[in-house]
Amino acid sequence: TLAARAARPLSDVVVVELSDDAIASPVAARTLADHGATVVKVVGPRRPRASEAIDAEANQGKRVLQVDLSTEEGRQRLWNLLKVADVVVDGGDDAAAGGGELGRHGFAPKRVLHRNPHLVYLRASCFGHVGPLARGAGSERAASFCCGVAGAADEGLVGARLLSPLAYTTGFLGAFGVLLALADRQVAAVEGKPFAGVLVLASLAQTATWLGAFGARCPSRLEYALRLGRLLWGGDRRAVDVGDLRYLPLTNAVEMPHTPARRHAYERWWPDDEILLPA
């Protein structure tokens, strides 16, 4: 095994996160941070948030930079940051096909990769990146219902409001896709081959379809009670404290056995007693 202070595999990787969604893309960036990446979370001056608990949980180990993309100065600041970054994590709610809010400010994925062909660009969405719903915003529940892995009966289960399996799995799959693309970039550099950037695509609907292929279904009442009991009362025996939060042990969804993931505390970017809303 490596020494405890050995550099983690992504310790020289810089990630720029541009996320509007609450879980999927922030979890992808957080997973990269767990394995050593420097993650800069770019937020607007009036960034909305769903809840302090979700923001805190999904944004461990990141640094925060406030940038106003409505100004020329803010847009230039982001372009300068992208020049030195290795990865972009983009989770704008309405942006799958056209770039959404980022695209309106000139940061559509194709343009970003054209100007910065060294980047790996992860684009996370709800309904996928082609087809009539590609530009639509949506939630985990919407993707579950559309893909048939959840139904109206699930809404009555308390656990449905405690877990976000599609969003977390999408985040882990997105992070895994980024790792594969970074490996391809490294191989290209070693072999002296050109690298023209990589666009990694992940979506809640694709994840739901994938999980459905494994037989994902609503549990029986007994199964549900047992699982919820393990979540609420069995997890504390294995919990670890990070900052002012208590976690189950780090997931092995993206596992590197010789350099295990390590979580850090998070940085707040909102007043404690105020929920920021769009203008």
Side-chain angles (χ1 to χ4, degrees):
T1 57
L2 298 178
R5 299 182 63 183
R8 285 176 290 165
L10 302 182
S11 60
D12 61 346
V13 171
V14 176
V15 179
V16 176
E17 182 193 338
L18 306 155
S19 299
D20 289 334
D21 64 328
I23 297 177
S25 55
V27 165
R30 186 195 70 185
T31 302
L32 300 175
D34 290 344
H35 292 287
T38 297
V39 178
V40 179
K41 187 177 184 75
V42 176
V43 300
R46 293 184 59 82
R47 178 194 183 275
R49 64 182 176 91
S51 73
E52 179 176 345
I54 291 176
D55 268 330
E57 199 284 325
N59 291 294
Q60 294 282 324
K62 303 176 185 179
R63 305 179 185 185
V64 177
L65 177 66
Q66 183 170 296
V67 176
D68 187 354
L69 293 181
S70 66
T71 67
E72 180 60 34
E73 180 184 3
R75 290 190 292 272
Q76 187 58 52
R77 192 177 188 188
L78 181 55
W79 281 122
N80 292 341
L81 182 59
L82 294 176
K83 288 180 182 179
V84 300
D86 299 284
V87 178
V88 175
V89 175
D90 174 8
D93 285 339
D94 61 347
E101 184 69 21
L102 287 173
R104 288 191 287 273
H105 290 301
F107 291 90
K110 287 185 178 180
R111 188 175 185 214
V112 170
L113 288 174
H114 177 73
R115 291 185 57 167
N116 299 279
H118 64 283
L119 286 174
V120 173
Y121 196 116
L122 169 62
R123 183 70 189 87
S125 68
C126 180
F127 297 112
H129 303 82
V130 295
L133 297 180
R135 292 180 182 271
S139 64
E140 175 168 7
R141 292 180 183 179
S144 299
F145 293 155
C146 288
C147 299
V149 297
D154 298 323
E155 288 295 286
L157 300 177
V158 176
R161 295 186 291 275
L162 298 177
L163 299 173
S164 300
L166 287 188
Y168 277 88
T169 304
T170 301
F172 295 138
L173 290 173
F176 182 62
V178 167
L179 293 177
L180 294 178
L182 287 173
D184 287 344
R185 189 181 73 167
Q186 189 69 16
V187 169
V190 170
E191 296 179 351
K193 297 180 180 179
F195 183 83
V198 172
L199 180 60
V200 179
L201 302 176
S203 75
L204 298 174
Q206 289 171 311
T207 300
T209 302
W210 181 65
L211 292 177
F214 289 99
R217 60 178 178 81
C218 185
S220 69
R221 291 184 180 276
L222 176 60
E223 290 173 326
Y224 173 75
L226 292 174
R227 294 178 189 180
L228 189 59
R230 287 198 299 270
L231 172 68
L232 294 177
W233 296 289
D236 249 9
R237 292 195 299 269
R238 300 179 293 131
V240 293
D241 293 324
V242 182
D244 58 358
L245 295 180
R246 173 158 288 190
Y247 280 92
L248 291 177
L250 286 176
T251 178
N252 60 357
V254 181
E255 183 178 8
M256 299 179 186
H258 295 295
T259 52
R262 190 182 311 153
R263 187 147 297 169
H264 302 279
Y266 69 103
E267 180 181 345
R268 299 174 187 267
W269 60 87
W270 62 86
D272 283 345
D273 300 322
E274 179 184 358
I275 296 180
L276 304 182
L277 299 174

PDB file of all heavy atoms in Angstrom, residues 233-261:
ATOM      1  N   TRP A 233     -31.177   3.686  11.122  1.00  0.00           N
ATOM      2  CA  TRP A 233     -30.610   3.274  12.410  1.00  0.00           C
ATOM      3  C   TRP A 233     -29.349   2.417  12.279  1.00  0.00           C
ATOM      4  O   TRP A 233     -28.547   2.385  13.188  1.00  0.00           O
ATOM      5  CB  TRP A 233     -31.669   2.512  13.212  1.00  0.00           C
ATOM      6  CG  TRP A 233     -32.828   3.402  13.550  1.00  0.00           C
ATOM      7  CD1 TRP A 233     -32.829   4.434  14.441  1.00  0.00           C
ATOM      8  CD2 TRP A 233     -34.135   3.357  12.983  1.00  0.00           C
ATOM      9  NE1 TRP A 233     -34.057   5.044  14.462  1.00  0.00           N
ATOM     10  CE2 TRP A 233     -34.890   4.396  13.590  1.00  0.00           C
ATOM     11  CE3 TRP A 233     -34.763   2.536  12.040  1.00  0.00           C
ATOM     12  CZ2 TRP A 233     -36.223   4.642  13.260  1.00  0.00           C
ATOM     13  CZ3 TRP A 233     -36.092   2.779  11.713  1.00  0.00           C
ATOM     14  CH2 TRP A 233     -36.805   3.825  12.317  1.00  0.00           C
ATOM     15  N   GLY A 234     -29.172   1.768  11.150  1.00  0.00           N
ATOM     16  CA  GLY A 234     -27.990   0.924  11.009  1.00  0.00           C
ATOM     17  C   GLY A 234     -26.763   1.676  10.550  1.00  0.00           C
ATOM     18  O   GLY A 234     -25.633   1.261  10.797  1.00  0.00           O
ATOM     19  N   GLY A 235     -26.985   2.825   9.879  1.00  0.00           N
ATOM     20  CA  GLY A 235     -25.849   3.543   9.312  1.00  0.00           C
ATOM     21  C   GLY A 235     -24.969   4.206  10.339  1.00  0.00           C
ATOM     22  O   GLY A 235     -23.774   4.374  10.118  1.00  0.00           O
ATOM     23  N   ASP A 236     -25.524   4.621  11.484  1.00  0.00           N
ATOM     24  CA  ASP A 236     -24.743   5.370  12.461  1.00  0.00           C
ATOM     25  C   ASP A 236     -23.565   4.587  13.015  1.00  0.00           C
ATOM     26  O   ASP A 236     -22.583   5.165  13.459  1.00  0.00           O
ATOM     27  CB  ASP A 236     -25.645   5.808  13.617  1.00  0.00           C
ATOM     28  CG  ASP A 236     -25.849   7.313  13.610  1.00  0.00           C
ATOM     29  OD1 ASP A 236     -25.437   7.938  12.621  1.00  0.00           O
ATOM     30  OD2 ASP A 236     -26.384   7.833  14.584  1.00  0.00           O
ATOM     31  N   ARG A 237     -23.662   3.258  12.995  1.00  0.00           N
ATOM     32  CA  ARG A 237     -22.553   2.447  13.533  1.00  0.00           C
ATOM     33  C   ARG A 237     -21.315   2.548  12.654  1.00  0.00           C
ATOM     34  O   ARG A 237     -20.216   2.235  13.097  1.00  0.00           O
ATOM     35  CB  ARG A 237     -23.001   0.983  13.665  1.00  0.00           C
ATOM     36  CG  ARG A 237     -24.064   0.766  14.735  1.00  0.00           C
ATOM     37  CD  ARG A 237     -24.185  -0.708  15.075  1.00  0.00           C
ATOM     38  NE  ARG A 237     -24.581  -1.499  13.921  1.00  0.00           N
ATOM     39  CZ  ARG A 237     -25.845  -1.777  13.605  1.00  0.00           C
ATOM     40  NH1 ARG A 237     -26.840  -1.298  14.342  1.00  0.00           N
ATOM     41  NH2 ARG A 237     -26.129  -2.517  12.551  1.00  0.00           N
ATOM     42  N   ARG A 238     -21.498   2.947  11.396  1.00  0.00           N
ATOM     43  CA  ARG A 238     -20.363   3.054  10.472  1.00  0.00           C
ATOM     44  C   ARG A 238     -20.102   4.491  10.054  1.00  0.00           C
ATOM     45  O   ARG A 238     -19.278   4.751   9.183  1.00  0.00           O
ATOM     46  CB  ARG A 238     -20.636   2.202   9.224  1.00  0.00           C
ATOM     47  CG  ARG A 238     -20.843   0.727   9.521  1.00  0.00           C
ATOM     48  CD  ARG A 238     -21.126  -0.041   8.239  1.00  0.00           C
ATOM     49  NE  ARG A 238     -22.412   0.340   7.655  1.00  0.00           N
ATOM     50  CZ  ARG A 238     -22.602   0.670   6.390  1.00  0.00           C
ATOM     51  NH1 ARG A 238     -21.580   0.692   5.555  1.00  0.00           N
ATOM     52  NH2 ARG A 238     -23.796   0.989   5.930  1.00  0.00           N
ATOM     53  N   ALA A 239     -20.805   5.431  10.667  1.00  0.00           N
ATOM     54  CA  ALA A 239     -20.733   6.818  10.211  1.00  0.00           C
ATOM     55  C   ALA A 239     -19.382   7.444  10.528  1.00  0.00           C
ATOM     56  O   ALA A 239     -18.694   7.053  11.479  1.00  0.00           O
ATOM     57  CB  ALA A 239     -21.853   7.634  10.848  1.00  0.00           C
ATOM     58  N   VAL A 240     -19.004   8.412   9.716  1.00  0.00           N
ATOM     59  CA  VAL A 240     -17.786   9.178   9.927  1.00  0.00           C
ATOM     60  C   VAL A 240     -18.154  10.654   9.905  1.00  0.00           C
ATOM     61  O   VAL A 240     -19.064  11.077   9.202  1.00  0.00           O
ATOM     62  CB  VAL A 240     -16.723   8.880   8.843  1.00  0.00           C
ATOM     63  CG1 VAL A 240     -16.221   7.459   8.956  1.00  0.00           C
ATOM     64  CG2 VAL A 240     -17.290   9.131   7.458  1.00  0.00           C
ATOM     65  N   ASP A 241     -17.465  11.442  10.705  1.00  0.00           N
ATOM     66  CA  ASP A 241     -17.717  12.879  10.767  1.00  0.00           C
ATOM     67  C   ASP A 241     -16.732  13.617   9.880  1.00  0.00           C
ATOM     68  O   ASP A 241     -15.520  13.381   9.930  1.00  0.00           O
ATOM     69  CB  ASP A 241     -17.585  13.379  12.203  1.00  0.00           C
ATOM     70  CG  ASP A 241     -18.681  12.838  13.112  1.00  0.00           C
ATOM     71  OD1 ASP A 241     -19.822  12.693  12.609  1.00  0.00           O
ATOM     72  OD2 ASP A 241     -18.401  12.555  14.287  1.00  0.00           O
ATOM     73  N   VAL A 242     -17.264  14.523   9.047  1.00  0.00           N
ATOM     74  CA  VAL A 242     -16.448  15.385   8.195  1.00  0.00           C
ATOM     75  C   VAL A 242     -16.961  16.806   8.386  1.00  0.00           C
ATOM     76  O   VAL A 242     -18.086  17.120   8.006  1.00  0.00           O
ATOM     77  CB  VAL A 242     -16.547  14.988   6.710  1.00  0.00           C
ATOM     78  CG1 VAL A 242     -15.643  15.883   5.869  1.00  0.00           C
ATOM     79  CG2 VAL A 242     -16.179  13.525   6.512  1.00  0.00           C
ATOM     80  N   GLY A 243     -16.147  17.658   8.999  1.00  0.00           N
ATOM     81  CA  GLY A 243     -16.637  18.988   9.313  1.00  0.00           C
ATOM     82  C   GLY A 243     -17.812  18.886  10.269  1.00  0.00           C
ATOM     83  O   GLY A 243     -17.741  18.205  11.291  1.00  0.00           O
ATOM     84  N   ASP A 244     -18.915  19.537   9.922  1.00  0.00           N
ATOM     85  CA  ASP A 244     -20.089  19.483  10.786  1.00  0.00           C
ATOM     86  C   ASP A 244     -21.162  18.550  10.247  1.00  0.00           C
ATOM     87  O   ASP A 244     -22.329  18.642  10.607  1.00  0.00           O
ATOM     88  CB  ASP A 244     -20.679  20.884  10.990  1.00  0.00           C
ATOM     89  CG  ASP A 244     -21.067  21.548   9.672  1.00  0.00           C
ATOM     90  OD1 ASP A 244     -20.835  20.934   8.614  1.00  0.00           O
ATOM     91  OD2 ASP A 244     -21.595  22.667   9.717  1.00  0.00           O
ATOM     92  N   LEU A 245     -20.761  17.614   9.366  1.00  0.00           N
ATOM     93  CA  LEU A 245     -21.695  16.643   8.806  1.00  0.00           C
ATOM     94  C   LEU A 245     -21.284  15.231   9.192  1.00  0.00           C
ATOM     95  O   LEU A 245     -20.112  14.953   9.425  1.00  0.00           O
ATOM     96  CB  LEU A 245     -21.748  16.757   7.282  1.00  0.00           C
ATOM     97  CG  LEU A 245     -22.302  18.051   6.701  1.00  0.00           C
ATOM     98  CD1 LEU A 245     -22.268  17.986   5.187  1.00  0.00           C
ATOM     99  CD2 LEU A 245     -23.713  18.305   7.183  1.00  0.00           C
ATOM    100  N   ARG A 246     -22.265  14.345   9.243  1.00  0.00           N
ATOM    101  CA  ARG A 246     -22.004  12.933   9.511  1.00  0.00           C
ATOM    102  C   ARG A 246     -22.386  12.120   8.280  1.00  0.00           C
ATOM    103  O   ARG A 246     -23.470  12.263   7.739  1.00  0.00           O
ATOM    104  CB  ARG A 246     -22.788  12.460  10.726  1.00  0.00           C
ATOM    105  CG  ARG A 246     -22.697  10.957  10.975  1.00  0.00           C
ATOM    106  CD  ARG A 246     -23.014  10.599  12.406  1.00  0.00           C
ATOM    107  NE  ARG A 246     -21.919  11.022  13.281  1.00  0.00           N
ATOM    108  CZ  ARG A 246     -21.834  10.670  14.570  1.00  0.00           C
ATOM    109  NH1 ARG A 246     -22.779   9.947  15.121  1.00  0.00           N
ATOM    110  NH2 ARG A 246     -20.818  11.080  15.308  1.00  0.00           N
ATOM    111  N   TYR A 247     -21.474  11.262   7.839  1.00  0.00           N
ATOM    112  CA  TYR A 247     -21.633  10.506   6.614  1.00  0.00           C
ATOM    113  C   TYR A 247     -21.591   9.010   6.880  1.00  0.00           C
ATOM    114  O   TYR A 247     -20.916   8.547   7.798  1.00  0.00           O
ATOM    115  CB  TYR A 247     -20.470  10.782   5.643  1.00  0.00           C
ATOM    116  CG  TYR A 247     -20.597  12.057   4.876  1.00  0.00           C
ATOM    117  CD1 TYR A 247     -20.046  13.230   5.360  1.00  0.00           C
ATOM    118  CD2 TYR A 247     -21.266  12.089   3.656  1.00  0.00           C
ATOM    119  CE1 TYR A 247     -20.148  14.413   4.655  1.00  0.00           C
ATOM    120  CE2 TYR A 247     -21.370  13.259   2.947  1.00  0.00           C
ATOM    121  CZ  TYR A 247     -20.820  14.413   3.440  1.00  0.00           C
ATOM    122  OH  TYR A 247     -20.919  15.580   2.750  1.00  0.00           O
ATOM    123  N   LEU A 248     -22.244   8.257   5.993  1.00  0.00           N
ATOM    124  CA  LEU A 248     -21.908   6.857   5.850  1.00  0.00           C
ATOM    125  C   LEU A 248     -20.517   6.797   5.224  1.00  0.00           C
ATOM    126  O   LEU A 248     -20.052   7.772   4.634  1.00  0.00           O
ATOM    127  CB  LEU A 248     -22.921   6.152   4.955  1.00  0.00           C
ATOM    128  CG  LEU A 248     -24.325   5.989   5.539  1.00  0.00           C
ATOM    129  CD1 LEU A 248     -25.244   5.343   4.506  1.00  0.00           C
ATOM    130  CD2 LEU A 248     -24.311   5.166   6.810  1.00  0.00           C
ATOM    131  N   PRO A 249     -19.828   5.655   5.342  1.00  0.00           N
ATOM    132  CA  PRO A 249     -18.497   5.572   4.731  1.00  0.00           C
ATOM    133  C   PRO A 249     -18.546   5.946   3.260  1.00  0.00           C
ATOM    134  O   PRO A 249     -19.552   5.727   2.580  1.00  0.00           O
ATOM    135  CB  PRO A 249     -18.125   4.095   4.924  1.00  0.00           C
ATOM    136  CG  PRO A 249     -18.886   3.679   6.129  1.00  0.00           C
ATOM    137  CD  PRO A 249     -20.183   4.421   6.056  1.00  0.00           C
ATOM    138  N   LEU A 250     -17.457   6.507   2.751  1.00  0.00           N
ATOM    139  CA  LEU A 250     -17.415   6.931   1.360  1.00  0.00           C
ATOM    140  C   LEU A 250     -17.763   5.771   0.439  1.00  0.00           C
ATOM    141  O   LEU A 250     -17.326   4.632   0.632  1.00  0.00           O
ATOM    142  CB  LEU A 250     -16.019   7.444   1.004  1.00  0.00           C
ATOM    143  CG  LEU A 250     -15.660   8.815   1.569  1.00  0.00           C
ATOM    144  CD1 LEU A 250     -14.232   9.162   1.222  1.00  0.00           C
ATOM    145  CD2 LEU A 250     -16.601   9.861   1.026  1.00  0.00           C
ATOM    146  N   THR A 251     -18.545   6.076  -0.582  1.00  0.00           N
ATOM    147  CA  THR A 251     -18.972   5.052  -1.519  1.00  0.00           C
ATOM    148  C   THR A 251     -17.781   4.471  -2.276  1.00  0.00           C
ATOM    149  O   THR A 251     -16.780   5.142  -2.499  1.00  0.00           O
ATOM    150  CB  THR A 251     -19.970   5.626  -2.525  1.00  0.00           C
ATOM    151  OG1 THR A 251     -20.316   4.605  -3.451  1.00  0.00           O
ATOM    152  CG2 THR A 251     -19.377   6.785  -3.299  1.00  0.00           C
ATOM    153  N   ASN A 252     -17.904   3.228  -2.669  1.00  0.00           N
ATOM    154  CA  ASN A 252     -16.890   2.640  -3.550  1.00  0.00           C
ATOM    155  C   ASN A 252     -17.399   2.619  -4.982  1.00  0.00           C
ATOM    156  O   ASN A 252     -16.973   1.826  -5.799  1.00  0.00           O
ATOM    157  CB  ASN A 252     -16.503   1.231  -3.097  1.00  0.00           C
ATOM    158  CG  ASN A 252     -17.685   0.272  -3.100  1.00  0.00           C
ATOM    159  OD1 ASN A 252     -18.817   0.663  -3.390  1.00  0.00           O
ATOM    160  ND2 ASN A 252     -17.437  -0.986  -2.770  1.00  0.00           N
ATOM    161  N   ALA A 253     -18.346   3.532  -5.308  1.00  0.00           N
ATOM    162  CA  ALA A 253     -18.872   3.600  -6.673  1.00  0.00           C
ATOM    163  C   ALA A 253     -17.750   3.922  -7.660  1.00  0.00           C
ATOM    164  O   ALA A 253     -17.726   3.407  -8.768  1.00  0.00           O
ATOM    165  CB  ALA A 253     -19.976   4.653  -6.762  1.00  0.00           C
ATOM    166  N   VAL A 254     -16.830   4.809  -7.285  1.00  0.00           N
ATOM    167  CA  VAL A 254     -15.627   5.069  -8.075  1.00  0.00           C
ATOM    168  C   VAL A 254     -14.459   4.769  -7.159  1.00  0.00           C
ATOM    169  O   VAL A 254     -14.035   5.597  -6.371  1.00  0.00           O
ATOM    170  CB  VAL A 254     -15.582   6.527  -8.572  1.00  0.00           C
ATOM    171  CG1 VAL A 254     -14.331   6.766  -9.410  1.00  0.00           C
ATOM    172  CG2 VAL A 254     -16.824   6.862  -9.391  1.00  0.00           C
ATOM    173  N   GLU A 255     -13.961   3.557  -7.220  1.00  0.00           N
ATOM    174  CA  GLU A 255     -13.010   3.068  -6.225  1.00  0.00           C
ATOM    175  C   GLU A 255     -11.609   2.974  -6.793  1.00  0.00           C
ATOM    176  O   GLU A 255     -11.399   2.485  -7.903  1.00  0.00           O
ATOM    177  CB  GLU A 255     -13.448   1.686  -5.728  1.00  0.00           C
ATOM    178  CG  GLU A 255     -12.550   1.134  -4.618  1.00  0.00           C
ATOM    179  CD  GLU A 255     -13.033  -0.215  -4.114  1.00  0.00           C
ATOM    180  OE1 GLU A 255     -13.949  -0.768  -4.730  1.00  0.00           O
ATOM    181  OE2 GLU A 255     -12.485  -0.706  -3.121  1.00  0.00           O
ATOM    182  N   MET A 256     -10.631   3.471  -6.033  1.00  0.00           N
ATOM    183  CA  MET A 256      -9.218   3.319  -6.353  1.00  0.00           C
ATOM    184  C   MET A 256      -8.566   2.728  -5.106  1.00  0.00           C
ATOM    185  O   MET A 256      -8.264   3.449  -4.150  1.00  0.00           O
ATOM    186  CB  MET A 256      -8.599   4.664  -6.731  1.00  0.00           C
ATOM    187  CG  MET A 256      -9.243   5.291  -7.962  1.00  0.00           C
ATOM    188  SD  MET A 256      -8.534   6.885  -8.369  1.00  0.00           S
ATOM    189  CE  MET A 256      -9.634   7.396  -9.700  1.00  0.00           C
ATOM    190  N   PRO A 257      -8.358   1.416  -5.040  1.00  0.00           N
ATOM    191  CA  PRO A 257      -8.021   0.754  -3.785  1.00  0.00           C
ATOM    192  C   PRO A 257      -6.708   1.196  -3.166  1.00  0.00           C
ATOM    193  O   PRO A 257      -6.555   1.147  -1.946  1.00  0.00           O
ATOM    194  CB  PRO A 257      -7.994  -0.728  -4.167  1.00  0.00           C
ATOM    195  CG  PRO A 257      -7.785  -0.758  -5.642  1.00  0.00           C
ATOM    196  CD  PRO A 257      -8.476   0.456  -6.168  1.00  0.00           C
ATOM    197  N   HIS A 258      -5.742   1.610  -3.982  1.00  0.00           N
ATOM    198  CA  HIS A 258      -4.447   2.001  -3.416  1.00  0.00           C
ATOM    199  C   HIS A 258      -4.430   3.452  -2.950  1.00  0.00           C
ATOM    200  O   HIS A 258      -3.551   3.850  -2.181  1.00  0.00           O
ATOM    201  CB  HIS A 258      -3.335   1.772  -4.439  1.00  0.00           C
ATOM    202  CG  HIS A 258      -3.143   0.335  -4.787  1.00  0.00           C
ATOM    203  ND1 HIS A 258      -2.713  -0.610  -3.875  1.00  0.00           N
ATOM    204  CD2 HIS A 258      -3.356  -0.333  -5.946  1.00  0.00           C
ATOM    205  CE1 HIS A 258      -2.665  -1.797  -4.462  1.00  0.00           C
ATOM    206  NE2 HIS A 258      -3.049  -1.645  -5.707  1.00  0.00           N
ATOM    207  N   THR A 259      -5.366   4.241  -3.412  1.00  0.00           N
ATOM    208  CA  THR A 259      -5.476   5.642  -2.988  1.00  0.00           C
ATOM    209  C   THR A 259      -6.942   5.911  -2.685  1.00  0.00           C
ATOM    210  O   THR A 259      -7.655   6.483  -3.500  1.00  0.00           O
ATOM    211  CB  THR A 259      -4.979   6.596  -4.091  1.00  0.00           C
ATOM    212  OG1 THR A 259      -5.650   6.281  -5.327  1.00  0.00           O
ATOM    213  CG2 THR A 259      -3.492   6.476  -4.291  1.00  0.00           C
ATOM    214  N   PRO A 260      -7.416   5.485  -1.540  1.00  0.00           N
ATOM    215  CA  PRO A 260      -8.847   5.617  -1.231  1.00  0.00           C
ATOM    216  C   PRO A 260      -9.301   7.067  -1.195  1.00  0.00           C
ATOM    217  O   PRO A 260      -8.529   7.984  -0.926  1.00  0.00           O
ATOM    218  CB  PRO A 260      -8.959   4.959   0.155  1.00  0.00           C
ATOM    219  CG  PRO A 260      -7.585   5.018   0.725  1.00  0.00           C
ATOM    220  CD  PRO A 260      -6.663   4.894  -0.440  1.00  0.00           C
ATOM    221  N   ALA A 261     -10.579   7.259  -1.481  1.00  0.00           N
ATOM    222  CA  ALA A 261     -11.153   8.598  -1.487  1.00  0.00           C
ATOM    223  C   ALA A 261     -11.042   9.229  -0.104  1.00  0.00           C
ATOM    224  O   ALA A 261     -11.079   8.548   0.910  1.00  0.00           O
ATOM    225  CB  ALA A 261     -12.609   8.529  -1.933  1.00  0.00           C
TER     226      ALA A 261
END
